Amino acid sequence: MDAAELAARIRTLSQAAKVVDAMRSVAASHRRQANDAFMGFERYAAATREALGQALDLLDAEEGRAPTEKPAGAAGARRVVVLFSEHGFVGALNERLLGAALRVAREDPGPAELAALGTRGLRLCRDRGVAALASGPLPSTIAGVGPAADRLTRDLFGAIAGGAIACVDLVFARRAGALGWGPEALRLFPPERGSGAGAARGEPPLRTLPAAALVARIIEEHCLAQVVWALGEAFACERAARLAAMEASQRSLREELDELSRAERTARQEAITSELLEIAAGAEPLREAEG
């Protein structure tokens, strides 16, 4: 490319760099919002895990079971709900989540179906020929996490009550470090006994409900809280993945702009040198003629 073509290319890339920088700023702002709200989601999920553990202790005491026994899960189909991204520019996030979900689906014998939450993930499943139920969009704002969790939990408990499924697993991206993340699998229903274990137990809580009814109520709240927490993680990880992708694009554009700027300077110097040589070559016959 000559100097003019290089200058045009530099202008185009400079405009692209401004767009990427704006997208990076938006992603960074959304990530900060997600991190600010996440502590509340995490405390909510931890509180319901503790409450479920205490309620199961009460149920064990009433029914004469050893506390170490796990509640028996009902036989039936499993649903693996995957919390994909709603928008693009997230690198390999959706591909890694799909791979993790397929591994989870193969872990236990018996039928398993995938359900995709997030437009980009559902599109990926269709492109890869993977059958997946559409479970709606992933929330695009923090304010949408609660309503989305409520809708998803109602749909899942409706399918459980109707006998369509007997087990639910969640697969989502969980934060690791500043901008890192990794796929996480969570058994949502029936809840694992270990989810409420390990916390210090005090006096048995005061209650007005039989232990079985109390456990049923807390399981619903526990599942809702875990879905809220998982959606919060997915929301934050989508923003972190987008921020990382934008920063990588920004670095790549800067490197390319530096290379093009060097090439443009070289091309201009060569053009100036060529013009000077042409002037010098044209002046020589004039001097000979004058002499």
Side-chain angles (χ1 to χ4, degrees):
M1 289 189 289
D2 60 21
E5 291 173 333
L6 287 168
R9 176 66 174 164
I10 288 171
R11 286 194 297 270
T12 300
L13 286 182
S14 296
Q15 293 173 353
K18 290 179 181 177
V19 173
V20 169
D21 187 57
M23 293 178 67
R24 179 195 172 282
S25 297
V26 171
S29 175
H30 287 172
R31 177 175 166 273
R32 284 193 297 271
Q33 293 174 5
N35 287 342
D36 291 343
F38 182 76
M39 293 303 295
F41 298 154
E42 196 167 37
R43 285 194 294 267
Y44 177 37
T48 58
R49 283 194 292 269
E50 169 65 12
L52 179 61
Q54 292 187 12
L56 288 174
D57 285 347
L58 291 173
L59 184 61
D60 289 337
E62 278 195 4
E63 297 184 355
R65 289 197 307 238
T68 55
E69 292 179 6
K70 292 186 178 181
R78 279 194 309 141
R79 180 173 295 179
V80 181
V81 182
V82 196
L83 307 184
F84 291 109
S85 76
E86 181 61 21
H87 303 291
F89 298 104
V90 292
L93 185 146
N94 290 321
E95 287 79 1
R96 289 181 61 187
L97 286 173
L98 179 57
L102 293 175
R103 288 192 295 272
V104 169
R106 291 192 295 263
E107 281 178 357
D108 295 333
E113 61 185 19
L114 253 61
L117 197 75
T119 303
R120 292 285 176 161
L122 184 61
R123 186 181 304 171
L124 175 65
C125 291
R126 290 170 177 169
D127 291 344
R128 298 288 175 84
V130 177
L133 302 173
S135 293
L138 197 77
S140 297
T141 63
I142 285 293
V145 168
D150 189 54
R151 285 192 301 271
L152 178 59
T153 306
R154 283 203 312 268
D155 291 344
L156 291 173
F157 273 94
I160 292 168
I165 56 175
C167 182
V168 180
D169 289 310
L170 277 181
V171 175
F172 56 97
R174 186 173 184 180
R175 298 174 304 161
L179 291 180
W181 59 272
E184 181 84 3
L186 170 69
R187 173 57 52 88
L188 185 65
F189 185 88
E192 294 180 341
R193 180 58 183 253
S195 64
R201 296 281 189 264
E203 291 295 322
L206 297 175
R207 55 191 173 93
T208 59
L209 291 174
L214 182 63
V215 166
R217 297 275 187 91
I218 292 180
I219 283 177
E220 292 181 10
E221 190 69 22
H222 169 268
C223 290
L224 175 62
Q226 304 314 303
V227 171
V228 167
W229 170 65
L231 283 171
E233 286 277 12
F235 181 91
C237 288
E238 178 177 346
R239 272 68 194 169
R242 184 169 298 113
L243 179 57
M246 292 301 101
E247 289 183 343
S249 297
Q250 197 175 48
R251 286 192 298 271
S252 177
L253 284 170
R254 285 174 179 169
E255 290 171 0
E256 188 170 357
L257 280 169
D258 288 342
E259 291 177 3
L260 287 172
S261 296
R262 287 193 294 269
E264 184 193 23
R265 287 194 296 270
T266 301
R268 288 189 183 280
Q269 290 171 356
E270 290 175 351
I272 291 170
T273 302
S274 178
E275 289 174 1
L276 290 173
L277 289 174
E278 289 176 2
I279 292 171
E284 184 65 25
L286 291 175
R287 284 196 296 270
E288 292 177 356
E290 290 176 355

